[in-house]
């Protein structure tokens, strides 16, 4: 770097600081800075580890420097200049020194390292905008009122603290006297107080905490001073109700300040335009800035030996433990990703038994652990004291761990975006290539790894469609604003319609929402507990009951848990939470595995399990509902192509004999044909269909086909599904041919048949519980009182569901519950697309008397509910050995 190099342009101060670090700003970073300073909003799409934080933060920092310089110029006495300073398109001039002084040369510019000429409001003046020493800063009291300038929204509380650390470095180096605070569930009392009292320049928060701030009347004027909102990891919020809640909160911020600039930061998405429109619905032509190209990603798979027996399905992959340990010991620091919390607990226990180093160098991280335990694992990764963390999706997002040398993925990632996100956690530095080591748990996952490599090479990525008309979230938001000073009905309706989520909101639905927050709806109007909002003499909707206010603030958010029971040591702190359905079956003295420890239950009291560390023995591992991830459509289609394509990938060559066996017994799947196997084996008849549409779609499809087949010939059926297909097993002997199968797969009368084939009322009842909690019908227990158990919540929500069905069948929440069953649980849009796709393909039916490598895992899955775990495992292993022996050679 040349000494005293003169830098020009509005971003010169930041480029000077980059110079001191030995960095060069990426073109996309400079483009975002330029667009921000020009008053634009937009969406930045760039992979993790590419410098996105500085890209999003740079514009507000440069603006703050300009404001500071202009303020300084106005308050000091002008001095004669030997030559007037002029500013053209080249912008201000900065002189960057060869190096910064002091031990923190990386972080700060010296007073002589950079100076900038910034135009004031009344013309061009010269001032110093970058100072390094604290004495050069304007002295503002830390407790003095400040105008909040920047709001940074993050999806995870863990990301908030990491983001503040990342922000402080350039803020201090550029000489800005900024107070940066947190407002999350984990924030300190001091940070929460500063946020409420308006004593911050920048605030980092979550969607839920932002809504909580909006519930206080005095925060509106403080939020009106905002210049910029940055939404980090927008792709993680887009496809769920947390994103809907944020869309509503952003609409309120835009109403408070129409000139507000908004920037989103997102990883690569298949529906990037929809993501931009959801964030910036008022700016249809807002720019989407493309960051660096995705990292060059190499996928390395731990392949079985040529003569090694590898399971056809199921299993946790623990047979790979020696290979995994060897890889872990070959690098300094590793992240080992599992797809479920139970699998993470089991892998951590297995590694602990063979770990050759100090136990504290191996850590566990998943969403059910206590925040302090998760923070300890993250800190260990940062400072290098931890060599390996076994994690789930809780570490998918962009907490910066530059020291992580490698990432391992246990089992299939089930999606291209997830694999890219996890691979990006290693060497989290701009310009570094991505690398992931894949650890198959059964043979067919090798095909999924080969498919993922192809999808990455082709740039294939999944879409995340945004929810529409989530009226439970809208009702919650309305109560929040009624509590935060009140709202006018017509004005708020127009404001809400300005969001993508509620663009199609009609007047009848809006009136139903207002009726719901005022009296709970027609059937609940006579119960005082459901009267939360009143309309005052001025026509404004307000909350006046302090009890309603407290309960609403405690329940803000859209994340619903399945009856979490806290786990607490008798002597020590909390360890996290398990589901009530698991711990409720245990007795005092029973042992279970959790938080990397074998624990003994002492007692269960007030939704808290008091435990002690067991002295010896092992225990069962908790299971969490909703842990199994379906194969994404993008990856499923690629899997079919790999089955049908040339065997070039090492993973495909490794299971060539298995694929040859599938071809010999039946056929290999292909994109242009639908593979169907009609098997007479093991005392029964089984129809296997392989649409490759993912587990969720296959569940609805199996129920639909059972109904349609039963209409043709009265029978009863059992079924099982996986990501590749489904199996229907009739109780009575029956025959079926290709024409019959084609008739069962017609897309006609889909919704009518689904309603008949499923116990829709029961599915809607379950969905209603979460909807009722979000909408405020099931408020949480007040502080100091025992939390309600899942059984109590189910009873309360079930009673409400029955009352509404009987006395108010058109209630908006009942209709929403049914709609979400179709959209979320059954994925009816994808189901229709799957049926239409099946009807276009050539139907390839194979009658046979033995299971194939594709059908065997489905048959094994169909037995799971009929046998105990040990009996099931024994029978499946015996059947697999017999099948392999019969078809060997």
């Amino acid at each position: 770097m040349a000494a005293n190099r003169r830098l020009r342009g509005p971003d010169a101060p930041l480029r000077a600081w980059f110079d001191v670090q030995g960095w060069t700003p990426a073109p996309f970073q400079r483009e975002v800075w330029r667009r921000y300073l020009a008053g634009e909003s937009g969406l930045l799409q760039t992979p993790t580890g590419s410098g996105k934080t500085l890209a999003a933060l740079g514009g507000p920092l440069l603006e703050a420097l300009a404001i500071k310089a202009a303020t300084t110029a106005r308050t000091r006495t002008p001095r004669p200049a030997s030559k007037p300073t002029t500013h053209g398109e080249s912008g201000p001039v900065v002189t960057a020194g060869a190096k910064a002084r002091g031990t923190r040369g990386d972080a700060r510019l010296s007073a002589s390292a950079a100076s900038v000429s910034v135009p004031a409001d009344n013309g061009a003046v010269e001032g110093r905008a970058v100072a390094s020493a604290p004495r050069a800063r304007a002295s503002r009291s830390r407790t003095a009122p400040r105008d909040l300038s920047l709001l940074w929204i993050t999806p995870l509380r863990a990301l908030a603290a990491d983001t503040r650390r990342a922000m402080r470095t350039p803020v201090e180096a550029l000489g800005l006297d900024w107070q940066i605070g947190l407002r999350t569930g984990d924030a300190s009392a001091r940070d929460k107080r500063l946020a409420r009292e308006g004593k911050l320049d920048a605030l980092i928060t979550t969607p839920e905490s932002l809504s909580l701030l909006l519930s206080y009347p005095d925060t509106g004027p403080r939020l009106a001073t905002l210049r910029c909102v940055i939404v980090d990891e927008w792709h993680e919020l887009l496809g769920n109700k947390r994103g809907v809640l944020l869309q509503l909160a952003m609409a309120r911020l835009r109403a408070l300040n129409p000139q507000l600039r908004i920037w989103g930061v997102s990883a690569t998405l298949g529906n990037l335009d929809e993501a931009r429109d959801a964030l910036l619905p008022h700016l249809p032509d807002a720019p989407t800035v493309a960051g660096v190209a995705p990292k060059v990603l190499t996928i390395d798979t731990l392949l079985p030996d040529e003569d090694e027996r590898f399971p056809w399905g199921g299993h946790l992959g623990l047979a790979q433990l020696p290979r995994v340990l060897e890889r872990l010991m070959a690098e300094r620091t590793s992240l080992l990703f599992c797809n479920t919390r139970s699998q993470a607990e089991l892998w951590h226990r297995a590694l602990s038994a063979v770990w050759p180093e100090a136990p504290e160098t191996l850590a566990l991280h998943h969403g059910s652990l206590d925040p302090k335990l998760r923070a300890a694992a993250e800190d260990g990764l940062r400072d290098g004291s931890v060599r390996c963390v076994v994690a789930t999706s809780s570490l998918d997002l962009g907490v910066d761990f530059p020291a992580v040398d490698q990432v391992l993925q246990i089992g299939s990632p089930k999606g291209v975006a997830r694999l890219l996100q996890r691979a990006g956690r290693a060497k989290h530095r701009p310009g570094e290539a991505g690398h992931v080591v894949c650890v198959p748990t059964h043979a067919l996952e090798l095909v999924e790894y080969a498919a993922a490599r192809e999808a990455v090479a082709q740039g294939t990525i999944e879409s995340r469609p945004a929810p529409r008309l989530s009226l439970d979230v809208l009702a919650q938001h309305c109560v929040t604003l009624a509590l935060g000073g009140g709202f006018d009905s017509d004005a708020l309706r127009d404001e809400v319609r300005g969001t993508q989520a509620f663009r199609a909101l009609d007047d009848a639905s809006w009136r139903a929402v207002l009726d719901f927050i005022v009296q709970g709806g027609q059937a609940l109007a006579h119960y005082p507990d459901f009267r939360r909002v009143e309309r005052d003499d001025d026509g404004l909707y307000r909350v006046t009951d302090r009890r309603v206010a407290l309960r609403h603030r405690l329940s803000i958010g859209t994340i619903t848990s399945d009856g979490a029971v806290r786990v607490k040591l008798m002597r020590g702190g909390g360890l996290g939470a398990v589901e009530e359905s698991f711990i409720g079956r245990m007795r005092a003295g029973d042992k279970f595995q959790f938080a990397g420890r074998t624990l003994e239950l002492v007692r269960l009291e007030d939704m808290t399990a008091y435990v002690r560390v067991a002295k010896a023995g092992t225990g069962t591992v908790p299971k969490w509902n909703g842990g199994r991830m379906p194969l994404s459509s993008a990856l499923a289609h690629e899997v079919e192509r790999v089955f049908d394509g040339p065997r070039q990938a090492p993973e495909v060559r490794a299971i060539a004999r298995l694929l040859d066996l599938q071809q010999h017994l039946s056929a290999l799947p292909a994109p242009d044909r639908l593979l169907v196997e009609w098997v007479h084996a093991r005392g029964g008849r089984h129809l296997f269909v392989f649409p490759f549409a993912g587990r969720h779609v296959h569940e609805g499809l199996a129920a639909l086909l059972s109904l349609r087949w039963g209409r043709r010939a009265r029978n009863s059926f059992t079924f099982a599904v996986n990501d590749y297909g489904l199996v229907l097993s009739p109780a009575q002997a029956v025959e079926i041919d290709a024409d019959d199968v084609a008739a069962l797969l017609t897309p006609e009368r889909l919704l009518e048949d689904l309603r008949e084939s499923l116990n829709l009322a029961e599915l809607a009842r379950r969905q209603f519980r979460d909807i009722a909690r979000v909408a405020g019908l099931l408020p949480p227990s007040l502080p100091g009182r025992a939390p309600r158990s899942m059984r109590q919540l189910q009873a309360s929500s079930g009673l409400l569901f029955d009352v509404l069905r009987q006395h108010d069948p058109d209630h908006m929440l009942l209709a929403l519950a049914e709609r979400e069953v179709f959209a979320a649980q059954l994925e009816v849009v994808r189901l229709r697309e799957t049926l239409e796709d099946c009807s276009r393909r050539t139907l390839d039916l194979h009658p046979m008397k033995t299971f194939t490598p594709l059908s065997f895992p489905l048959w094994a899955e169909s037995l799971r509910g009929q046998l105990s775990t040990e009996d099931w495992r024994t029978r499946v292993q015996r059947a697999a050995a017999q099948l392999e022996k019969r078809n060997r050679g």
Side-chain angles (χ1 to χ4, degrees), residues 227-307:
R227 294 177 176 272
C228 178
V229 176
I230 295 170
V231 181
D232 199 6
E233 306 283 0
W234 172 230
H235 60 281
E236 287 294 328
L237 298 168
L238 173 66
N240 54 53
K241 288 186 178 181
R242 297 185 72 205
V244 175
L245 186 67
L246 182 57
Q247 286 188 52
L248 291 168
M250 297 293 283
R252 172 52 37 147
L253 295 180
R254 292 196 302 270
L256 292 171
N257 179 6
Q259 304 304 314
L260 183 68
R261 280 160 291 179
I262 301 168
W263 279 87
V265 181
S266 173
T268 305
L269 284 168
N271 57 330
L272 201 59
D273 287 344
E274 182 182 6
R276 178 200 60 198
D277 293 343
L279 183 69
L280 303 165
H282 60 303
L283 298 172
D285 298 322
T288 298
V289 178
V292 299
K295 288 183 177 182
V296 177
L297 176 62
T298 57
I299 298 175
D300 181 15
T301 303
L302 296 187
L303 299 174
D305 293 333
E306 186 174 350
D307 297 326

Side-chain angles (χ1 to χ4, degrees), residues 288-485:
T288 298
V289 178
V292 299
K295 288 183 177 182
V296 177
L297 176 62
T298 57
I299 298 175
D300 181 15
T301 303
L302 296 187
L303 299 174
D305 293 333
E306 186 174 350
D307 297 326
E308 181 180 352
R309 183 183 177 278
F310 211 53
W312 288 8
H315 300 272
L316 294 166
L318 292 175
Q320 296 269 48
L321 183 61
R323 292 190 183 98
V324 170
L325 182 64
E326 182 181 355
R327 286 298 184 104
L328 294 178
M329 291 298 101
E331 297 287 351
R332 173 60 199 160
T333 311
S334 303
L335 276 175
L336 181 75
F337 279 109
C338 299
N339 286 342
T340 68
R341 287 165 282 187
S342 300
Q343 190 181 39
E345 290 276 357
L346 286 166
W347 265 93
H348 183 269
R349 181 171 70 181
L351 282 170
S352 298
V354 296
W355 193 248
E357 299 192 1
E360 57 270 18
T361 62
L362 176 67
L364 179 65
H365 194 292
H366 61 69
S368 291
L369 295 181
D370 186 85
K372 292 181 180 178
L373 297 181
R374 299 200 303 266
E378 294 165 15
D379 291 340
L381 282 175
R382 288 191 190 91
D383 62 26
S385 61
V386 169
R387 285 203 64 177
C388 174
V389 174
V390 182
T392 62
S393 56
S394 57
L395 278 184
D396 275 3
L397 298 187
V399 179
D400 287 323
F401 300 123
V404 173
D405 296 308
Q406 71 173 344
V407 166
L408 292 89
Q409 166 68 43
I410 304 294
S412 168
K414 300 297 183 183
V416 183
R418 184 176 296 109
L419 182 65
L420 289 170
Q421 190 81 18
R422 291 179 173 180
R425 312 313 300 139
K427 300 176 180 177
H428 191 139
R429 297 179 289 270
E432 292 278 1
H435 180 74
V436 61
V437 178
C438 293
V439 184
T441 66
H442 60 80
L444 291 177
E445 281 186 335
L446 291 167
V447 179
E448 295 184 33
Y449 293 142
R453 183 185 291 110
E454 286 297 315
V456 169
Q458 296 170 14
T460 303
I461 201 77
E462 293 87 3
S463 297
R464 302 194 187 192
R468 302 294 203 278
L469 295 175
S470 300
L471 298 182
D472 52 343
V473 183
L474 179 56
Q476 182 186 118
H477 180 68
C478 288
V479 177
T480 295
L481 298 189
L483 187 55

Side-chain angles (χ1 to χ4, degrees), residues 766-797:
R766 295 175 190 170
Q767 192 70 22
F768 179 81
R769 186 185 70 218
D770 289 344
I771 289 172
R773 289 164 76 178
V774 171
L777 282 183
L778 299 173
S781 300
L782 295 174
R785 299 185 183 179
R788 291 192 292 176
S789 68
M790 178 54 63
R791 184 175 301 175
Q792 292 170 318
L793 286 172
Q794 287 173 336
S796 299
S797 65

Side-chain angles (χ1 to χ4, degrees), residues 312-314 411-414 440-452 628-633 635-643 655 658-659 662 668-670 673-677 687-699 701 720-727 830 834 837-838 841 852-858 861:
W312 288 8
S412 168
K414 300 297 183 183
T441 66
H442 60 80
L444 291 177
E445 281 186 335
L446 291 167
V447 179
E448 295 184 33
Y449 293 142
R628 304 180 78 173
M629 296 182 292
L631 192 69
S632 72
S633 296
L635 189 54
H637 293 327
E638 197 62 49
V639 166
E640 278 192 300
R641 283 191 281 271
V642 169
F643 270 120
I655 57 168
L658 190 71
L659 299 182
Q662 175 69 36
L668 287 169
R673 66 173 176 266
L674 177 65
L675 177 62
V676 180
E677 296 176 357
L687 180 69
F688 297 90
V689 185
F690 298 98
F692 284 82
R695 180 182 300 273
H696 289 171
V697 171
H698 292 157
E699 286 177 349
L701 182 58
V721 304
N722 64 16
D723 284 318
Y724 295 174
L726 59 95
V727 56
R830 281 190 62 194
T834 298
D837 180 56
C838 289
R841 299 188 189 204
T852 65
L854 280 176
S855 62
F856 180 83
L858 273 167
E861 188 70 24

